[in-house]
């Protein structure tokens, strides 16, 4: 079955630590995205990548970093510079080009900072 | 810039009631429009989409019509079930600000629906 996997489902970290969230897709999609979801605020775009070895900042990139070394993988690192990292993080992918290309989502990772 | 406005929730209905969740948008050009659904603790799933004016998207008894004259894409279902309890997001495809021609999605804030038996 093709899809997107995110791991782990729940993640706890101590304040001041960096943590990396995994996202893998086998849909052969060129584009991948990271969103943050907080209650009552919908989805906010952190970073996106349209092709391997290239990525762009989204609306709330401060305190986050990404890499895109392989087409299938787009890991997100939440650094200690992120002031309020506790949230639900969603990874998505899509084909590039075309007006109607929907995004496919993973199951999400819930990060809690202790 | 492009934007999406959804009706605020939560919406609470009894089983078999009629559902409408309003969505209006502001966009340049001719965006595609989407409805996504998120069940508790899960990621988002595409529910339906429409790519041009007057298109009707439909899936699982849900429908939405792309109305360019009113810039709307309201979600409707004739008879809701308890299993429809979820958060519903309206979105449009906007032109990306970066290089390339891929389009980012612009999201509404979501509308929570609770259906009681």
């Amino acid at each position: 079955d093709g899809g997107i996997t995110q791991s782990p489902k729940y993640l706890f970290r101590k304040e001041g630590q960096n943590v990396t969230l995994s996202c893998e897709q086998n849909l052969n999609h060129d584009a991948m995205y990271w969103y943050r979801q907080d209650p009552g605020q919908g989805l906010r775009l952190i970073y996106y990548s349209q092709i391997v070895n290239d990525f762009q900042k989204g609306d709330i990139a401060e305190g986050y970093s990404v890499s895109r070394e392989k087409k299938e993988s787009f890991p997100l690192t939440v650094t200690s510079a992120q002031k309020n990292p506790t949230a639900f993080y969603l990874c998505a992918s899509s084909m590039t080009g075309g007006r109607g290309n929907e995004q496919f989502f993973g199951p999400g990772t819930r990060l809690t900072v202790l | 810039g492009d934007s999406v406005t959804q009706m605020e929730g939560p919406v609470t209905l009894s089983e078999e009631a009629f559902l409408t969740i309003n969505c209006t948008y502001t966009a340049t050009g001719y965006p595609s429009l989407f409805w996504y659904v998120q069940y508790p603790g899960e990621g988002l799933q595409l529910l339906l989409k429409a790519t041009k004016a007057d298109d009707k998207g439909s899936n699982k008894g849900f429908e939405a019509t792309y109305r360019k004259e009113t810039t709307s894409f309201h979600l409707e279902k004739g008879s809701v079930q308890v299993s429809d309890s979820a958060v519903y997001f309206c979105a449009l495809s906007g032109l990306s600000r970066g290089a390339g021609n891929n389009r980012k999605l612009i999201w509404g804030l979501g509308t929570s629906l609770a259906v009681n038996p």
Side-chain angles (χ1 to χ4, degrees):
Chain A
D1 276 335
I4 302 177
T5 57
Q6 290 186 244
S7 62
K9 189 168 179 64
Y10 298 96
L11 189 57
F12 299 88
R13 80 154 215 217
K14 293 182 179 179
E15 204 167 331
Q17 289 180 336
N18 292 356
V19 62
T20 297
L21 282 60
S22 167
C23 177
E24 304 277 334
Q25 55 99 359
N26 61 4
L27 299 168
N28 201 33
H29 287 166
D30 285 311
M32 297 187 73
Y33 312 80
W34 273 106
Y35 292 94
R36 171 180 171 139
Q37 186 176 28
D38 296 282
Q41 295 196 43
L43 277 71
R44 293 186 288 170
L45 184 64
I46 304 172
Y47 269 97
Y48 64 103
S49 167
Q50 298 180 81
I51 197 168
V52 174
N53 292 324
D54 187 43
F55 48 82
Q56 288 82 41
K57 293 182 179 180
D59 301 316
I60 56 164
E62 185 175 351
Y64 300 97
S65 65
V66 293
S67 63
R68 186 84 188 277
E69 297 176 0
K70 298 187 301 181
K71 187 175 184 178
E72 301 79 18
S73 179
F74 191 43
L76 173 74
T77 297
V78 184
T79 75
S80 55
Q82 169 50 233
K83 297 305 179 190
N84 186 20
T86 294
F88 190 49
Y89 290 88
L90 289 160
C91 179
S93 71
S94 72
M95 293 190 292
T96 54
R99 297 170 56 250
N101 288 337
E102 65 264 31
Q103 293 180 11
F104 294 79
F105 283 80
T109 293
R110 187 167 298 280
L111 173 64
T112 303
V113 174
L114 304 172
Chain B
D2 296 351
S3 67
V4 173
T5 302
Q6 287 182 237
M7 63 184 286
E8 289 188 23
V11 174
T12 302
L13 296 173
S14 297
E15 206 164 22
E16 299 184 2
F18 185 85
L19 169 70
T20 299
I21 300 178
N22 290 340
C23 172
T24 57
Y25 68 90
T26 302
T28 54
Y30 300 92
S32 292
L33 300 171
F34 306 85
W35 276 102
Y36 281 80
V37 59
Q38 183 179 33
Y39 298 102
E42 297 183 9
L44 278 69
Q45 303 173 27
L46 179 68
L47 183 58
L48 53 84
K49 72 177 185 181
T51 59
K52 62 183 187 296
D54 300 324
D55 265 3
K56 177 185 284 188
S58 61
N59 186 26
K60 300 181 181 179
F62 291 90
E63 292 183 339
T65 301
Y66 188 158
R67 302 282 189 202
K68 191 162 179 63
E69 63 276 14
T70 55
T71 62
S72 65
F73 193 54
H74 304 322
L75 183 68
E76 297 182 335
K77 186 175 185 182
S79 176
V80 293
Q81 305 300 311
V82 172
S83 57
D84 293 326
S85 299
V87 179
Y88 293 82
F89 290 92
C90 184
L92 68 82
S93 64
L95 288 171
S96 67
R97 299 189 186 104
N101 64 353
N102 197 43
R103 298 185 181 229
K104 297 189 295 181
L105 290 182
I106 309 299
W107 296 90
L109 294 181
T111 302
S112 175
L113 169 67
V115 180
N116 297 321

